[in-house]
């Protein structure tokens, strides 16, 4: 294993040994290959550079208490990439190729998988880009699918701690009939200004309302929204929200824990002051419990129980599965054999 300060590596790019790539030409995918190069030779007119024809994914591998390496729900990432690619009329790698390449690149970089007990994990970043030279706005005929991995530190250095978030009042993330459900770079480009402004003012995340009416809760910049009220797990039903794999899993866990689960439009004004617990959920942190939400339109703070009872239970239940401390009764993990 490489010698890294696992607890303090943070969430940045740490060079590993190999990435894996596969190319699509003349209607078919070629053979995947590992490479030590960190750069991509690309045509200056590639569709990904000019028209944002790029989609990506994010997943994690965890070293378990039993020493086994576990990938979490990776087939969901493969399916989501396919759905995102379809929106942009891109060719997507088939699910089995996606998973095979993930396993290969993880094995090739096994020495970068952080040890159990450090809170660190190996982040997996699949990326699909259009590579055909085009000047008009149209879909590419050629694609590159690549996956790199990089070790990331524990999200919470000081334990499972509450965060402050802000209601976003100047920017929309995704249009109601736009790309919000797809994991495309353009959505993140649209949120960079809002995210930077929120961070400058000491907020961990910004909360978006629906772009059409500013009436319903959508999601955070890079995490889904959930709330707990009257022993019910509530999460927004919206066409412009990314289908979070963590959120999907938390709904199942909430149900396992005896909570009611509601997937429905959430009216901000009507409900934001009524929740017991609020959380941001995603691969990065599983759950970031929201302690306070600042509403700049009213110069008002909303406060929540954080970390609340149910968020804490769900957080541990999910992490216990990821780290092999609890039975994986839903079949969510894939053990990478031999590392
Ligand atoms: C916009 C957005 N919403 C939600 C999520 C959480 O999704 P997941 O749980 O699949 O990581 C992410 C992070 O991937 C995201 O970028």
């Amino acid at each position: 294993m490489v010698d890294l300060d696992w607890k303090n590596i943070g969430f940045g790019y740490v060079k590993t040994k190999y990435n894996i790539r596969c190319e699509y030409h003349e209607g078919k995918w070629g053979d995947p290959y590992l490479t030590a190069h960190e750069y991509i030779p690309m045509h200056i007119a590639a569709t990904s550079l000019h028209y944002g024809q790029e989609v990506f994914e994010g997943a994690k591998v965890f070293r378990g208490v039993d020493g086994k390496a576990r990938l979490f729900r990776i087939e969901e990432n493969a399916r989501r990439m396919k759905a995102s690619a379809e929106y942009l009329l891109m060719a997507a790698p088939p699910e089995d190729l996606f998973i095979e390449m993930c396993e290969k690149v993880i094995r090739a970089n096994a020495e970068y998988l952080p040890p159990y007990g450090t809170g660190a994990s190996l982040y997996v970043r699949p990326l699909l880009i259009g590579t055909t030279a085009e000047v008009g706005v149209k879909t590419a005929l050629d694609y590159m699918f690549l996956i790199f991995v990089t070790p990331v530190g524990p999200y919470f250095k000081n334990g499972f701690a509450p965060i402050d978030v802000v209601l976003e009042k100047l920017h929309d993330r995704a249009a109601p009939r736009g790309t919000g459900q797809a994991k495309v770079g353009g959505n993140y480009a649209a949120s960079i200004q809002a995210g930077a402004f929120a961070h400058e003012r000491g907020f961990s995340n910004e909360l978006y309302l629906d772009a059409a009416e500013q009436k319903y809760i959508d999601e955070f910049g890079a995490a889904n929204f959930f709330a707990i009220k009257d022993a019910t797990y509530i999460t927004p039903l919206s066409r412009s929200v990314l289908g979070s794999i963590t959120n999907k899993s938390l709904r199942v866990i909430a149900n396992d824990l005896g909570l009611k689960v509601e997937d429905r439009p959430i009216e901000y004004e009507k409900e934001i002051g009524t929740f017991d617990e609020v959380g941001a959920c995603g691969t990065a942190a599983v759950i970031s419990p929201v302690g306070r939400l600042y509403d700049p339109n009213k110069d008002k703070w909303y406060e929540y129980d954080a970390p609340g009872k149910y968020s804490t239970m769900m957080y541990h239940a999910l992490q216990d599965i990821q780290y092999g401390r609890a039975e994986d009764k839903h079949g969510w993990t894939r053990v990478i054999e031999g590392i």
Side-chain angles (χ1 to χ4, degrees):
M1 195 187 306
V2 291
D3 186 24
L4 287 172
D5 182 7
W6 302 110
K7 288 191 174 148
N8 293 303
I9 44 178
F11 192 85
Y13 179 77
V14 175
K15 185 178 178 342
T16 56
K17 267 195 167 158
Y18 302 103
N19 58 88
I20 193 163
R21 302 177 186 190
C22 189
E23 292 173 37
Y24 182 92
H25 302 291
E26 293 173 353
K28 55 180 190 300
W29 289 99
D31 293 327
Y33 55 95
L34 287 165
T35 172
H37 292 291
E38 290 170 283
Y39 293 88
I40 315 168
M42 203 157 42
H43 196 282
I44 52 175
T47 61
S48 50
L49 295 178
H50 298 263
Y51 305 123
Q53 237 195 354
E54 78 90 28
V55 302
F56 67 101
E57 274 303 323
K60 277 182 175 176
V61 191
F62 304 87
R63 177 74 75 193
V65 65
D66 52 4
K68 291 184 178 162
R70 285 181 178 80
L71 246 177
F72 187 71
R73 302 197 80 175
I74 196 66
E75 56 294 328
E76 292 287 339
N77 293 94
R79 283 174 209 152
R80 192 169 64 186
M81 174 166 271
K82 187 159 178 284
S84 302
E86 271 168 11
Y87 198 102
L88 304 192
L89 290 185
M90 298 168 73
E95 195 176 317
D96 49 355
L97 177 66
F98 184 104
I99 295 171
E100 174 201 327
M101 285 174 63
C102 281
E103 290 205 2
K104 270 198 182 133
V105 72
I106 293 163
R107 273 206 195 90
N109 293 292
E111 61 197 296
Y112 290 89
L113 177 57
Y116 178 74
T118 55
S121 54
L122 191 67
Y123 183 71
V124 181
R125 169 54 63 87
L127 173 73
L128 176 68
I129 51 174
T131 52
T132 308
E134 283 292 355
V135 179
V137 183
K138 55 176 107 130
T139 187
L141 297 171
D142 307 276
Y143 295 91
M144 179 179 276
F145 174 52
L146 68 85
I147 310 172
F148 69 79
V149 296
T150 193
V152 293
Y155 196 85
F156 299 108
K157 278 212 187 118
N158 307 314
F160 185 49
I163 57 165
D164 282 351
V165 297
V166 62
L167 177 71
E168 179 52 46
K169 77 168 200 179
L170 296 175
H171 305 82
D172 292 316
R173 179 185 162 272
R177 294 181 299 172
T179 51
Q181 280 187 348
K183 202 160 168 76
V184 305
N187 292 342
Y188 298 84
S191 73
I192 278 184
Q193 247 193 42
F197 195 50
H199 282 121
E200 268 166 33
R201 290 180 297 158
F203 296 104
S204 300
N205 226 326
E206 72 282 5
L207 178 65
Y208 294 92
L209 301 183
D210 79 282
E213 293 185 274
Q214 300 291 302
K215 186 171 175 189
Y216 299 99
I217 295 174
D218 259 355
E219 65 173 327
F220 294 100
N224 270 185
F225 175 99
F226 75 84
I228 307 281
K229 176 164 66 174
D230 303 329
T232 304
Y233 179 94
I234 308 164
T235 193
L237 179 68
S238 160
R239 256 218 60 177
S240 46
V241 164
L242 185 76
S244 153
I245 297 162
T246 313
N247 193 359
K248 195 171 175 180
S249 311
L250 289 176
R251 279 177 243 178
V252 174
I253 286 175
N255 184 60
D256 289 349
L257 291 171
L259 292 166
K260 231 176 102 190
V261 175
E262 289 178 4
D263 193 359
R264 61 168 171 82
I266 304 174
E267 259 189 66
Y268 175 82
E269 283 304 337
K270 233 166 133 181
E271 296 199 62
I272 198 68
T274 69
F275 299 128
D276 302 326
E277 300 176 36
V278 166
C281 63
T283 296
V286 179
I287 291 174
S288 300
V290 172
R292 299 189 304 170
L293 166 80
Y294 177 64
D295 182 336
N297 297 321
K298 293 185 247 159
D299 189 21
K300 177 171 177 174
W301 291 86
Y302 293 95
E303 295 196 15
Y304 306 100
D305 187 13
K309 176 173 87 173
Y310 291 115
S311 297
T312 306
M313 280 160 69
M314 292 190 296
Y315 174 77
H316 289 302
L318 191 57
Q319 289 253 288
D320 285 350
I321 294 171
Q322 292 173 329
Y323 285 106
R325 293 186 296 246
E327 186 202 343
D328 178 15
K329 64 177 184 179
H330 301 292
W332 286 342
T333 59
R334 172 180 289 262
V335 172
I336 313 286
E337 303 291 350
I339 59 169

